Amino acid sequence: MKLNFEKNTFFTKLIFRFLVTTMIVILIFGFSVITYFKTFFVEQKEAQINKNSSAVIEYLADSKAEDNKQEIVNWLSIIGELNEGHAWLINQEGVLEFSYPYSFDEERTFSGYETIFKGNTISREVDTEDFELTMLFVGMPVEYQGEVIAALLVFTPIDEINSIIEHIVRIMIYISLVALIFILFISYYFSRSLANPLHSMGLVAARISQGEYGKKVEIKEKGASKEIKLLSESINLMSEKLERTIKSLAEEKNKLKHVLSGMEEGIIAVNSSGRIILTNQSAASLFNFENDIRGEKISEIELYPEIVEVFQEIIRQKDSSQQQLIINKEDTNQYYLVHFTAIKLEEQNFWGGVAIFHDISERYRFEQLQREFVANVSHELKSPLSSIKGSVEILLDGIIEDPAEKREYLKMILKESNSLSHLIDETLTLAEIDAGGVELNKDQILLQELFANLQVFFKNIKKEEQSLEIKVDPDLKVTANQEKIRQVLINLLSNSVKYSDCDGKISLKAERQAGQIKISVADNGIGIPQAEQQNIWERFYKVDKARTPGERSSGLGLAIVNQIVNEHQGQVAVESSEGEGSTFSFTIPVAEN
């Protein structure tokens, strides 16, 4: 979002508002002054009328009581001339009886006169068809011996007052114009001293809102008020604290992000309503969700039903717990140990929880392999021992007397003894490597000689029409322990012979590759399923026995291969397609000349 903060626009608006406010104040003040003066002059005029009329009103009352019409008219004329206006006299019925100057031929009746006959004096401005000008009307009671016998109505023009008011208005306009010009200069100076700091503060606030924390307001105006300086200092202090706070939060967020991304355990956090608030990459890998699922309900996304049930149970219990979870993925059971920690606020109110999914499938499988290894070793030990025991008992009992048959029994005893010895040797070899007791006395080995020696070994173990093809450069050498590398190749060749048909073809090849020697043993045997290839290098692991009926194996041969190659700073690899064969390979450093 782009924020615009135009200095000129702000400055113009500030002056405009100041001038409008000033104009309103001047208008209100001028109206008040004009109203005051007009009221003052009217009251003065009214007081003058009362004063002029009161001098002769007693005589007018006597004439009215005597019903002397001529004197009444004379007194009315005196009152009218004294007040430079008209004087009327009405009776108690509100009927106009006498007037000066006389200008009414028909009978006139007035309303609203009752107040006068109660002894009160009234006054107001009137503008009627009877007069060309606006008149000031004053109504006074005419009393005789304590009784109101008539009402005197005096009308005097107020054009003089209006003229004075108009003059005052003109003066006020001139004063206002001068004041406006003066105020314009003052407001311009004041507005600039106010607008520039506010403009700077606005820019800093805009940058802070866009994430540029740490920006400071610089007040360059010398005439800036203390309040503006205090405000700018407060903004600067807020910006510094905000920068430190944001940096601290960012650091904590990055720490949490790296911790979560570096954890092998999957983490999913939900709030009390079941909405996901946090996940890590391991959880995405474990449960196969690619998009960001934060903010979505755990029950509305495509997850394994077992996981959804776990979270629903956790939210219901609102407490920490631990359980084991089994999920079927790709027709294989995966085992997870789930630790759930409840998130509670200060008042111990349940806010949500974090579930940590620890994949224990490998550990479970390893324990299973160990159990299978114990069973396999027991079986491997039991079978030859049973054969040896049975043969010895037969020979000792003297049941067999034919020397040729005795020799066959003795050969069987020797074969089973060799099998036992081989199993024990493999177990001791792995134990020795694990204990770090193997000393690799490395020499330069000519691979052509080593392969030729292995060809003799192959002829002794091959099945019927099986063949071995060797490909190696005559001068290719490696730096390694010859006995250990020979053991590696013997294990690989033995596996190829064991898992290939009677007419199978096996190849042994060595080649240079990126400063190392790559040695591979390939066959066209039964191959290894893709799902099991990652596990064949582990100890005690054996491919499905149903695929290799009649073949006895401890599951240690490839584990020994892997360990020996690692001791030579090399790497093992396998490429296999089920029903098409396998290629086992490893790399070791090339010999230095």
Side-chain angles (χ1 to χ4, degrees):
M1 180 179 68
K2 184 178 181 182
L3 299 176
N4 293 323
F5 194 87
E6 296 292 340
K7 177 180 178 181
N8 293 335
T9 302
F10 174 77
F11 180 66
T12 304
K13 287 182 178 179
L14 189 62
I15 293 180
F16 176 76
R17 291 172 182 172
F18 192 82
L19 288 177
V20 169
T21 304
T22 304
M23 286 290 295
I24 293 173
V25 172
I26 291 175
L27 288 174
I28 295 174
F29 175 74
F31 179 78
S32 301
V33 169
I34 292 171
T35 302
Y36 170 78
F37 277 110
K38 186 171 184 179
T39 303
F40 174 77
F41 286 129
V42 168
E43 289 177 352
Q44 291 295 320
K45 189 71 173 179
E46 181 182 345
Q48 184 180 1
I49 291 172
N50 287 331
K51 181 179 179 181
N52 293 336
S53 301
S54 61
V56 296
I57 198 168
E58 293 181 1
Y59 301 105
L60 177 61
D62 293 340
S63 300
K64 173 62 178 174
E66 296 172 359
D67 197 23
N68 189 339
K69 297 181 179 179
Q70 184 59 43
E71 287 189 1
I72 290 174
V73 172
N74 291 337
W75 291 120
L76 287 176
S77 63
I78 293 172
I79 292 173
E81 290 177 356
L82 287 174
N83 295 299
E84 299 178 352
H86 298 254
W88 296 353
L89 189 68
I90 61 174
N91 59 21
Q92 295 178 346
E93 287 76 23
V95 177
L96 177 62
E97 292 184 338
F98 302 95
S99 66
Y100 174 83
Y102 180 80
S103 58
F104 303 101
D105 296 331
E106 70 279 0
E107 185 177 281
R108 296 285 302 276
T109 302
F110 293 89
S111 59
Y113 58 87
E114 293 84 359
T115 304
I116 300 176
F117 282 95
K118 291 180 181 179
N120 300 317
T121 299
I122 62 174
S123 65
R124 62 175 177 268
E125 291 185 28
V126 295
D127 188 7
T128 66
E129 296 178 352
D130 298 328
F131 308 105
E132 295 179 355
L133 302 174
T134 301
M135 308 293 280
L136 174 63
F137 158 71
V138 178
M140 295 174 289
V142 178
E143 297 181 2
Y144 182 77
Q145 294 181 356
E147 181 182 355
V148 179
I149 59 174
L152 175 63
L153 308 180
V154 179
F155 299 88
T156 182
I158 58 174
D159 55 338
E160 182 179 354
I161 295 176
N162 290 336
S163 177
I164 294 173
I165 295 301
E166 290 177 358
H167 184 68
I168 292 174
V169 169
R170 285 194 296 271
I171 293 174
M172 288 295 298
I173 291 174
Y174 296 147
I175 293 174
S176 298
L177 290 175
V178 173
L180 280 176
I181 294 173
F182 178 72
I183 291 173
L184 179 62
F185 283 104
I186 293 179
S187 63
Y188 177 79
Y189 174 77
F190 174 74
S191 299
R192 283 191 65 87
S193 64
L194 182 63
N196 289 338
L198 291 179
H199 174 255
S200 300
M201 294 178 193
L203 288 178
V204 170
R207 290 185 177 181
I208 291 175
S209 68
Q210 291 177 334
E212 298 182 24
Y213 308 109
K215 297 295 182 181
K216 293 187 177 181
V217 179
E218 295 183 0
I219 304 299
K220 299 180 179 179
E221 285 71 16
K222 296 182 179 179
S225 63
K226 293 182 179 179
E227 290 77 8
I228 292 293
K229 292 180 179 179
L230 180 61
L231 179 59
S232 65
E233 291 174 358
S234 300
I235 292 177
N236 292 340
L237 182 60
M238 178 197 70
S239 179
E240 291 178 1
K241 289 185 176 180
L242 188 60
E243 182 183 24
R244 289 196 296 268
T245 302
I246 295 299
K247 284 184 178 179
S248 177
L249 290 175
E251 289 176 358
E252 294 300 323
K253 183 179 179 181
N254 288 333
K255 290 178 183 177
L256 178 61
K257 179 181 178 181
H258 289 298
V259 169
L260 294 178
S261 62
M263 292 180 64
E264 293 183 0
E265 294 81 2
I267 296 178
I268 300 179
V270 298
N271 58 19
S272 57
S273 62
R275 293 194 179 275
I276 298 174
I277 58 176
L278 178 68
T279 63
N280 69 344
Q281 186 60 41
S282 296
S285 300
L286 288 175
F287 306 125
N288 301 323
F289 54 83
E290 298 178 355
N291 300 325
D292 189 358
I293 59 175
R294 287 177 297 179
E296 299 185 25
K297 278 201 168 185
I298 191 73
S299 59
E300 296 176 355
I301 59 177
E302 295 183 1
L303 283 177
Y304 294 99
E306 295 87 352
I307 299 176
V308 177
E309 292 176 4
V310 165
F311 275 99
Q312 290 175 345
E313 182 66 23
I314 283 169
I315 293 174
R316 282 194 296 268
Q317 292 180 356
K318 299 180 180 180
D319 200 2
S320 300
S321 63
Q322 177 177 315
Q323 61 178 287
Q324 184 171 311
L325 186 64
I326 303 175
I327 299 176
N328 186 271
K329 296 172 64 176
E330 299 178 358
D331 298 328
T332 303
N333 286 337
Q334 298 292 322
Y335 297 84
Y336 298 94
L337 188 62
V338 184
H339 296 268
F340 180 79
T341 303
I343 302 175
K344 296 184 179 181
L345 302 179
E346 295 180 356
E347 299 177 356
Q348 296 300 310
N349 294 326
F350 179 76
W351 184 84
V354 179
I356 301 177
F357 295 84
H358 181 60
D359 188 353
I360 59 173
S361 302
E362 292 296 322
R363 186 179 74 183
Y364 182 87
R365 188 170 55 81
F366 183 74
E367 292 174 353
Q368 183 68 22
L369 289 175
Q370 285 183 317
R371 288 191 291 270
E372 291 179 359
F373 171 72
V374 172
N376 290 338
V377 169
S378 299
H379 177 72
E380 294 292 336
L381 290 173
K382 182 178 180 180
S383 296
L385 285 176
S386 298
S387 299
I388 294 171
K389 180 181 177 182
S391 299
V392 171
E393 287 177 349
I394 291 174
L395 293 175
L396 288 176
D397 290 341
I399 298 175
I400 305 298
E401 297 180 355
D402 185 8
E405 290 186 13
K406 289 182 178 180
R407 184 175 180 81
E408 290 298 324
Y409 276 97
L410 291 173
K411 284 183 179 180
M412 184 174 64
I413 293 172
L414 178 61
K415 178 182 177 182
E416 297 299 340
S417 299
N418 289 335
S419 177
L420 287 174
S421 177
H422 180 68
L423 176 62
I424 294 170
D425 287 343
E426 285 186 336
T427 305
L428 291 176
T429 298
L430 281 174
E432 187 179 13
I433 293 174
D434 286 339
V438 177
E439 293 185 6
L440 295 178
N441 297 316
K442 297 180 180 180
D443 297 315
Q444 288 192 2
I445 305 171
L446 186 62
L447 291 179
Q448 187 178 37
E449 294 180 357
L450 178 61
F451 287 5
N453 181 271
L454 289 171
Q455 196 166 20
V456 176
F457 168 77
F458 174 77
K459 290 178 180 180
N460 294 328
I461 66 169
K462 73 172 185 173
K463 298 176 183 177
E464 301 178 3
E465 301 298 325
Q466 287 181 339
S467 62
L468 176 64
E469 181 184 6
I470 296 177
K471 295 180 180 180
V472 59
D473 292 339
D475 59 345
L476 202 58
K477 296 180 181 180
V478 294
T479 301
N481 183 291
Q482 184 165 343
E483 290 301 321
K484 296 301 180 184
I485 296 300
R486 186 176 184 277
Q487 184 178 1
V488 168
L489 294 174
I490 286 175
N491 286 354
L492 295 179
L493 285 173
S494 298
N495 281 345
S496 293
V497 169
K498 186 184 299 184
Y499 299 112
S500 296
D501 295 334
C502 294
D503 58 349
K505 295 181 180 181
I506 302 170
S507 67
L508 176 60
K509 183 172 66 172
E511 59 184 342
R512 290 180 180 271
Q513 189 178 79
Q516 291 185 322
I517 300 298
K518 179 180 179 182
I519 302 175
S520 59
V521 178
D523 61 63
N524 58 353
I526 61 176
I528 303 171
Q530 184 70 31
E532 300 195 54
Q533 290 181 18
Q534 62 179 353
N535 303 319
I536 60 174
W537 304 105
E538 298 179 7
R539 302 176 187 183
F540 321 127
Y541 186 83
K542 291 189 291 186
V543 181
D544 187 4
K545 295 179 181 179
R547 295 170 47 81
T548 57
E551 298 293 347
R552 186 185 300 172
S553 173
S554 64
L556 296 175
L558 291 178
I560 293 174
V561 168
N562 188 32
Q563 289 289 88
I564 292 175
V565 171
N566 287 338
E567 291 291 328
H568 284 80
Q569 288 78 47
Q571 291 183 339
V572 294
V574 61
E575 296 177 6
S576 182
S577 297
E578 195 169 358
E580 297 181 4
S582 306
T583 300
F584 290 86
S585 61
F586 62 93
T587 59
I588 52 178
V590 67
E592 297 180 1
N593 295 327

